[in-house]
């Protein structure tokens, strides 16, 4: 009686050739069940081990598992290769071709940049408050200790007065100055 694994090398080579011939991820997904699934040739060979003597099954199982590892490694490598090729193709298709830019309609000097998301949101919120009757003010970026703390009744030992939370600037006598960002600007709708 011949062993069910007599043609295992040829069958493995056929499976590897099939894997190499797959041209896309979709083809690989369609072919994967027939290569390593329950109805693949490898599963059929494993089911045929019942005709072998118990002492031969161990060696046949090791040979079949080695063939399965080789096929699955080739399948994983081909999957990585095809996904890399698909990603590269997608990037090529989505790329911007700067060689087709028309300069005739561009006005000079061209504006550079745009307002940040924070600046846009701030303007929209200012518009809401102005519509409700408030005024938006803009003031100096460096303010005296009196306006930042004393007039607001913030005690001298308060953590906001610490050197970690406030920058102090020496602009001369009679007061200390600290950085505070306030805005005093009038806008109407």
């Amino acid at each position: 009686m011949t062993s069910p694994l007599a043609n295992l090398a040829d069958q493995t080579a056929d499976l590897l050739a099939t894997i190499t011939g797959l041209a896309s991820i979709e083809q690989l997904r369609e072919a994967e069940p027939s290569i390593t699934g329950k109805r693949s040739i490898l599963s059929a060979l494993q089911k045929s081990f019942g005709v072998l003597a118990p002492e031969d099954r161990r060696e046949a199982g090791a040979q079949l598992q080695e063939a399965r590892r080789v096929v699955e490694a080739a399948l994983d490598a081909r999957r990585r290769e095809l996904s890399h090729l698909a990603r590269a193709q997608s990037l090529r298709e989505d790329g911007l071709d700067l060689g087709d830019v028309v300069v005739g309609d561009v006005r000079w000097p061209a504006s550079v940049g745009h307002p940040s998301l924070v600046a846009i949101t701030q303007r929209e919120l200012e518009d809401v408050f102005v519509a409700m009757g408030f005024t938006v003010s803009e003031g100096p970026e460096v303010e005296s200790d009196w306006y930042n703390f004393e007039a607001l009744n913030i005690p001298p030992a308060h953590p906001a007065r610490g050197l970690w939370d406030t920058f102090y600037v020496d602009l001369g006598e009679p007061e200390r100055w600290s950085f505070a960002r306030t805005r005093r600007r009038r806008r109407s709708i």
Side-chain angles (χ1 to χ4, degrees):
M1 169 167 66
T2 62
S3 170
L5 301 180
N7 296 328
L8 181 62
D10 293 336
Q11 292 166 335
T12 304
D14 290 343
L15 289 174
L16 293 176
T18 302
I19 292 170
T20 305
L22 298 174
S24 68
I25 290 288
E26 291 78 23
Q27 287 180 359
L28 186 136
R29 285 188 192 122
E30 291 173 6
E32 189 171 8
S34 65
I35 294 173
T36 60
K38 290 182 180 179
R39 297 194 177 163
S40 68
I41 188 69
L42 298 176
S43 294
L45 289 174
Q46 187 172 3
K47 290 176 185 174
S48 68
F49 282 178
V51 298
L52 294 176
E55 59 273 359
D56 295 336
R57 288 182 191 164
R58 178 175 294 203
E59 182 182 332
Q63 289 175 358
L64 184 63
Q65 287 305 318
E66 181 59 32
R68 183 178 295 275
R69 274 191 285 268
V70 168
V71 169
E72 287 177 352
L75 194 63
D76 288 340
R78 187 65 179 162
R79 180 180 293 113
R80 282 191 304 271
E81 181 181 351
L82 289 174
S83 67
H84 182 269
L85 291 173
R87 173 85 172 133
Q89 178 65 26
S90 173
L91 289 175
R92 273 194 303 275
E93 290 173 357
D94 292 343
L96 176 64
D97 183 12
L98 296 178
D100 293 339
V101 174
V102 178
V103 182
D105 294 338
V106 177
R107 295 182 183 151
W108 296 99
S111 63
V112 178
H114 56 85
S116 69
L117 183 60
V118 174
I120 293 169
T121 304
Q122 181 178 352
R123 286 186 196 136
E124 290 175 0
L125 286 172
E126 287 174 359
D127 290 341
V128 168
F129 281 103
V130 167
M132 292 182 343
F134 291 92
T135 59
V136 179
S137 301
E138 190 171 319
E141 291 188 14
V142 177
E143 193 59 81
S144 70
D145 190 57
W146 168 257
Y147 289 113
N148 270 346
F149 303 116
E150 293 295 327
L152 299 173
N153 294 327
I154 297 176
H158 193 276
R161 287 185 161 198
L163 294 177
W164 294 104
D165 295 327
T166 303
F167 296 106
Y168 289 97
V169 179
D170 184 18
L171 295 177
E173 292 296 327
E175 292 187 88
R176 291 173 53 187
W177 294 78
S178 61
F179 281 107
R181 186 152 177 108
T182 58
R183 296 173 52 91
R184 292 187 186 119
R185 185 179 77 207
R186 295 190 185 271
R187 290 185 8 178
S188 61
I189 295 181

